[in-house]
Amino acid sequence: MAPFNGRKHGRTASRIAVAAIAAALVATTAGTAAADGVPSAKDAAGKAQQHVKPKAKDQQRSAPYASGFGGSAETFELMAVDSDGYLWNYPSNGQGGFGERWPNTYGWNSISEATQYDNDKDGRADGFYVKSLDGHLIYKNYDTGTRDLGAGWNTYNLVFTPGDLGGAPNDDLIARDKSGVLWLYTAKGDGSFTPPVKLGAGWGAMTKIAGRGDMNGDGKADIIAVDNSGTAWLYPGTGNWAAPFGNRVKLGGGWNTYNKLVGIGDLNNDGQADLIGRDTSGGLWFYAGTGTTNGAPFKDRVKVGTGWNGMRLMF
């Protein structure tokens, strides 16, 4: 499925208020946004719609799926930002691919990174963190609103949440600084964090770090990292904030064919966490999770789309 079908998805769903994000950013960001043709916060506020959670009868799944094999995983809609700054939502079709996309909002040219989270553990995203071009980290909660967590985040070239890494209820944040050091920010309920914990150096050798939830069947959130040679590694979660990852497991080579990896949970309704990869030609590939600890967390890949190189952000 090409990502440019141009029609709105029909089910009841959220409209994320980018105006709230823009209002939280400092004046320098507003200046950059104007230069990029992004509407002002005032203009965006007049058009943005508030998030409304789907009614239970309209949801395909209102809670994490629990399979007969003991697996359970959340399911997020894939969110993608095109080169013009439009945000699009792609709901899962339950078979590893995506249904008809729907337009969310405009004005994302001022955002450099974004990641979704699920703090109430109902299997649906509660909101997202975004990093602005001027280095502010913005916390968006669909129920409580938007909060600017401060500047200085441009010291990091990677910011995302794979889920709960420290054993607390909330999803934690991983950040990699420009010297290759990885840091863990343990999240509080209001979206803020405890002081960061240094996890180790040498992560600059990884071209991609991704993942969402438990990928090896032990109930703890894991990550996948791809090194400069194209070899992928599974870093199993421990649930311990002081040392959140165990010994890594080699998954194999050839992963440098992808310029983007995204984990958004279970996409084929089997209760296991899956992975999406976009190759250099714009093809989209689905890796179904197995939920096993034998070093093979995914089944053989399946192609689920083309034309995705037009998306600047995918999360």
Side-chain angles (χ1 to χ4, degrees):
M1 180 196 73
F4 302 106
N5 57 37
R7 292 191 295 166
K8 179 177 178 180
H9 185 251
R11 77 172 177 85
T12 304
S14 66
R15 297 295 186 271
I16 297 172
V18 170
I21 300 173
L25 302 181
V26 295
T28 53
T29 302
T32 302
D36 289 339
V38 178
S40 68
K42 181 178 179 181
D43 292 337
K47 299 177 182 178
Q49 301 180 49
Q50 184 62 36
H51 171 90
V52 179
K53 284 191 175 181
K55 297 178 181 178
K57 67 179 181 179
D58 294 325
Q59 290 180 320
Q60 290 181 336
R61 284 163 50 192
S62 59
Y65 177 90
S67 76
F69 300 98
S72 63
E74 58 212 345
T75 299
F76 296 170
E77 292 189 0
L78 176 64
M79 305 177 82
V81 178
D82 65 25
S83 58
D84 293 323
Y86 286 92
L87 175 67
W88 300 86
N89 281 48
Y90 294 83
S92 168
N93 64 10
Q95 300 175 355
F98 300 96
E100 193 173 20
R101 74 175 187 172
W102 55 270
N104 197 310
T105 44
Y106 173 64
W108 283 68
N109 283 337
S110 61
I111 303 302
S112 61
E113 294 188 77
T115 184
Q116 300 185 72
Y117 67 87
D118 174 24
N119 282 348
D120 63 12
K121 300 300 180 283
D122 67 351
R124 297 284 179 174
D126 297 331
F128 51 82
Y129 292 94
V130 297
K131 189 180 78 173
S132 66
L133 291 176
D134 72 341
H136 278 244
L137 189 70
I138 308 299
Y139 168 78
K140 170 67 179 180
N141 182 281
Y142 295 140
D143 293 326
T144 62
T146 304
R147 181 180 180 186
D148 187 342
L149 299 180
W153 288 83
N154 272 347
T155 188
Y156 300 114
N157 56 24
L158 174 75
V159 175
F160 89 106
T161 172
D164 169 26
L165 294 174
N170 304 303
D171 286 354
D172 305 314
L173 205 68
I174 286 178
R176 182 184 62 189
D177 66 29
K178 294 177 181 178
S179 66
V181 175
L182 202 67
W183 300 84
L184 172 66
Y185 284 83
T186 303
K188 301 178 182 179
D190 62 357
S192 63
F193 305 101
T194 60
V197 175
K198 184 177 180 179
L199 301 183
W203 289 83
M206 299 299 177
T207 60
K208 286 167 285 293
I209 304 175
R212 178 72 209 180
D214 173 25
M215 290 181 281
N216 67 353
D218 65 358
K220 300 177 178 63
D222 312 310
I223 62 172
I224 299 288
V226 180
D227 64 26
N228 287 321
S229 72
T231 300
W233 302 85
L234 171 70
Y235 287 81
T238 65
N240 177 7
W241 63 268
F245 302 115
N247 294 329
R248 68 180 187 175
V249 178
K250 186 176 182 179
L251 302 183
W255 287 74
N256 50 3
T257 188
Y258 300 113
N259 56 26
K260 185 68 176 178
L261 294 177
V262 184
I264 51 175
D266 174 22
L267 297 177
N268 63 350
N269 292 350
D270 66 354
Q272 310 299 339
D274 308 316
L275 196 69
I276 291 290
R278 182 185 65 187
D279 66 29
T280 54
S281 67
L284 204 66
W285 297 86
F286 168 64
Y287 285 85
T290 63
T292 62
T293 58
N294 62 2
F298 304 112
K299 299 177 183 178
D300 291 341
R301 68 177 189 169
V302 177
K303 194 170 188 177
V304 293
T306 59
W308 285 79
N309 267 348
M311 294 301 174
R312 183 175 64 85
L313 298 177
M314 297 171 63
F315 61 99

